[in-house]
Each structure stands twice: as structure tokens, then as C-alpha cells.
Amino acid sequence: MAYWLMKAEPDDVSIDDLAAMPGQTVGWYGVRNYQARNFMRDQMRQGDQVLYYHSGCAVPGVAGIAEVCSGPYPDPTQFDPAHHYYDPKSTPAQPRWQQVDVRLVRKTRFLSLADMRAAPALDGMLVLARGNRLSITPVEPSHWRAVMALLGEPA
DNA sequence: GCCAACGTTGGC
DNA sequence: GCCAACGTTGGC
């Protein structure tokens, strides 16, 4: 069982939006970066634990805990010409972009990016690295435990 | 809205 | 295969 951090824009799917969805589950559509896609396609397993991170907003940070609840399958938005995430180079026969389903485990207290940067236990965490733009990053078990401690969640 | 950082594209 | 130009991300 592995740990991940996944960035969502709260204007799109916030932690509260996720909580309101059927089954509290969302398909992780819209990834258009090969490295992030490869994590979902090749490395994620059902049951992997996820830090649900709000980005592209006034106060970015971890908003909850989720888990991977499907294997990889084609992102449907890549085939829809009307969709923002349409990719004309992708076909249903040879889909380029994959997604997994992610289910809410629980909403937590909010741990801001600033608080994460201020926590020595999180030194070296990939999401904090300079210039990091990856929307999905693996999380070291020690960093996961440190985040749980900062959130006041049982490890 | 700005801009640093990074990924992708495409000419050569 | 190099690398300049361009587009995107994402914090501030």
C-alpha cells in the first residue's frame, strides 16, 4: 500500500464537492502530464492512501484523506471535442490519458502549504520542492505519518 | 495579474 | 538530438 498526494482545484472539485458526490467518489479526470499519468496507470493500487490537496486557490494545502478505489481506465474527457480536456490526438482505440477513481476517507482539519513548509518533519517532501508542478506525487511513509500528526489524525 | 519554473513542441 | 519558443502550472 502506497501513499500519494493529489492536487485538485477546489473551484473544480473541492473536498466538500467530493463529500457530496455519489459514493463520495470522483474519477480523476484531466491529468495531461505523462509522469502523473504513469503514476496512475502503472503504480497506483486500490487502497492506496491519498492526501487530497487544494491547489490553484487562495490558500493551498491538504484538505482531507482519500483512497484509490479503482484500477486505471481511459479518461473520458479526452474524447469529447467540446471538453476543455479534449485531446485530438487520442482515440478510444488508443487512449493516451488514464484516470483512477478516488474515494473520500474523511475530511480533516486544513493543513496549509505554509504550515507544511514550516514543519521540519516534512523536509524533502516532493510537493514542497522548488518549482514542483506535478499534480500527483508519491509521499514517503515518514512524510505521511508526519502529515497525519500535523492533522491530528491517527496514523 | 505577475512571474518563476517546468514540460512540450517543432524547426533544424 | 538540440534547443528556442511557447504554453501551463501554481504560489504569491
Side-chain angles (χ1 to χ4, degrees):
Chain A
M1 201 264 295
Y3 300 109
W4 305 92
L5 181 143
M6 299 176 80
K7 296 178 184 174
E9 299 195 3
D11 284 350
D12 187 11
V13 185
S14 71
I15 193 80
D16 291 325
D17 294 331
L18 177 61
M21 287 194 176
Q24 300 191 320
T25 298
V26 67
W28 208 263
Y29 63 89
V31 168
R32 294 295 180 269
N33 169 283
Y34 290 106
Q35 202 176 346
R37 177 204 66 182
N38 292 349
F39 285 141
M40 291 197 288
R41 187 189 64 186
D42 304 332
Q43 292 186 233
M44 281 189 179
R45 297 292 179 267
Q46 293 188 42
D48 281 1
Q49 300 293 110
V50 174
L51 296 174
Y52 197 97
Y53 181 92
H54 283 176
S55 76
C57 54
V59 187
V62 172
I65 301 167
E67 66 182 8
V68 177
C69 66
S70 82
Y73 63 97
D75 177 343
T77 65
Q78 70 193 303
F79 307 127
D80 177 359
H83 201 283
H84 176 66
Y85 289 120
Y86 176 59
D87 183 347
K89 294 177 183 166
S90 188
T91 66
Q94 289 202 313
R96 175 177 296 195
W97 304 111
Q98 302 279 119
Q99 65 182 34
V100 298
D101 289 342
V102 170
R103 181 197 303 131
L104 181 67
V105 172
R106 62 188 167 275
K107 184 179 177 180
T108 62
R109 92 167 181 90
F110 188 79
L111 177 63
S112 72
L113 175 60
D115 287 345
M116 294 172 74
R117 290 199 187 284
L122 299 186
D123 281 356
M125 199 170 171
L126 286 176
V127 73
L128 305 181
R130 174 185 174 83
N132 164 70
R133 296 191 328 187
L134 257 188
S135 62
I136 300 175
T137 47
V139 174
E140 300 282 338
S142 64
H143 289 147
W144 177 274
R145 288 191 293 272
V147 170
M148 292 302 110
L150 289 164
L151 289 171
E153 294 285 329

